[in-house]
Amino acid sequence: MLLNSLLLLGLASCSSAYKGLQRTEGDAGACLQRFRPQIDSPVLYSTQVDVLQHHLSGLLYFRPMDNGSMRVLFMSEMGMKFFDFEFTKGGEFIKHYMLPKMDKKAVVKTLRKDFDMVLMRRDPATAVTYTWNGLRYTAFSLPKGKIYYITDEACTELVRVENGSRRKPVVEATLRAYRNGVPDSIDIRHHAVKFNISLQRVEK
């Protein structure tokens, strides 16, 4: 009896949170275009970032460039820069600056993946669509895991965004209260480590 219980517990712990996904047809481009932040001019957010033992607060700018790239600049309200990243039109990532005490490969990589996830700049042609439990999952493959943009089946509401491993969600993001194609709030939460980002749009 004890052995059977342990086996069942082991099987449950190895079960995938995505095992119920059913492949389906769908226009990923048309669906995601409704929720992809339409940042055509600089947008400013009041921002709180918790990275391990560091807590940072300040202002974050999304700034579209003439060459089609997107700059993401985070600084204190006194003007001290924390980081300055660029996502190019061709999908490359450039680190222009990172606060030295935070300039760790893992931290930069995580921030890159988080902002890439919420900016939704990936080619819709590479997406695969699934449905499960009344929701639609538009998935993009990563070197490890996938990004899932989860909506209702009619694609009228963005429920959440997940960066998932093969077994479970690793990062969850919500984008809420869109105005003129831009969300008023963005929240990113990591499940395994203290690495959270909260953004609230500021009217200039």
Side-chain angles (χ1 to χ4, degrees), residues 43-86:
V43 178
L44 176 65
Y45 287 87
S46 175
T47 303
Q48 308 286 325
V49 177
D50 289 298
V51 182
L52 303 177
Q53 72 272 28
H54 302 293
H55 174 79
L56 306 174
S57 64
L59 300 171
L60 186 140
Y61 290 85
F62 289 109
R63 182 182 179 189
M65 309 300 290
D66 292 339
N67 62 4
S69 67
M70 179 69 69
R71 292 289 284 268
V72 181
L73 173 64
F74 180 39
M75 63 177 63
S76 73
E77 294 186 1
M78 299 299 293
M80 184 179 78
K81 189 157 54 174
F82 296 129
F83 60 73
D84 181 1
F85 301 148
E86 180 176 354

Side-chain angles (χ1 to χ4, degrees), residues 90-162:
E92 296 178 351
F93 172 80
I94 301 171
K95 180 187 73 175
H96 290 284
Y97 177 79
M98 186 75 184
L99 188 70
K101 69 178 180 180
M102 291 175 55
D103 195 4
K104 311 296 183 183
K105 185 176 180 179
V107 173
V108 174
K109 181 179 179 181
T110 300
L111 287 168
R112 173 185 180 176
K113 290 172 67 176
D114 287 352
F115 286 111
D116 177 68
M117 183 170 66
V118 300
L119 288 170
M120 305 185 194
R121 292 167 62 87
R122 292 176 175 269
D123 182 359
T126 65
V128 177
T129 304
Y130 303 90
T131 56
W132 180 46
N133 199 27
L135 297 174
R136 172 177 174 150
Y137 289 66
T138 302
F140 292 86
S141 292
L142 301 172
K144 293 182 179 179
K146 288 183 171 65
I147 294 175
Y148 297 96
Y149 295 95
I150 305 171
T151 66
D152 62 329
E153 286 199 64
C155 199
T156 60
E157 178 188 0
L158 181 63
V159 178
R160 63 185 180 276
V161 186
E162 289 180 358

